[in-house]
Amino acid sequence: MTGEETTAGAGPAGAGPAGESPAGEAKRAGHPRHDLAPLLNAPVRLSVVAALEPLDKAEFGFVRDLVEVTDSALSKQVAALEEAGWVSVRKGRVGRRPRTWLSLTPEGRTVYQRHLAALRAIALG
């Protein structure tokens, strides 16, 4: 082993325990699982974000039918995504009928792309 190589769990020379910098700041672990978004571990939330990713916006009913869930199930999952700042919900009317449109926020799009990249990295080794 050369002077620059380290073993698993050992940080570089001058670093604190387990890869911490001398100031005690933890370094990002190397395994791709650390890039997974825990909120997207729920299949319905992942499906909703995947459905919205290629679109500017989609009607609530379209997403509900695509993901194959009830109104209440979709509403609950969208509320969690909205609270995280990943989905935007806009209500309005088309003629006299109320409508709800869903869209990914820029942050939601970034999180989804990072989540997919992590899944690919894990699956492909």
Side-chain angles (χ1 to χ4, degrees):
M1 182 159 53
T2 68
E4 292 185 15
E5 293 178 11
T6 61
T7 57
E20 289 183 359
S21 69
E25 298 166 351
K27 288 189 175 185
R28 186 164 186 87
H31 194 277
R33 76 176 178 278
H34 300 290
D35 285 331
L36 292 172
L39 195 61
L40 295 182
N41 287 341
V44 172
R45 287 192 292 261
L46 178 60
S47 298
V48 168
V49 172
L52 294 174
E53 198 273 335
L55 307 172
D56 288 332
K57 64 181 178 181
E59 282 192 24
F60 184 93
F62 172 80
V63 176
R64 177 202 58 218
D65 294 345
L66 187 65
V67 177
E68 299 178 347
V69 294
T70 64
D71 285 354
S72 62
L74 180 57
S75 181
K76 180 179 177 182
Q77 301 306 322
V78 166
L81 293 166
E82 184 180 26
E83 185 176 323
W86 299 350
V87 168
S88 173
V89 178
R90 189 173 64 90
K91 295 183 182 277
R93 293 193 170 272
V94 174
R96 294 172 31 145
R97 304 188 117 181
R99 292 284 186 259
T100 300
W101 290 274
L102 309 174
S103 59
L104 275 183
T105 64
E107 180 184 359
R109 200 170 299 280
T110 299
V111 168
Y112 176 66
Q113 292 298 329
R114 187 171 44 238
H115 188 82
L116 280 184
L119 287 172
R120 283 189 199 102
I122 292 167
L124 299 176

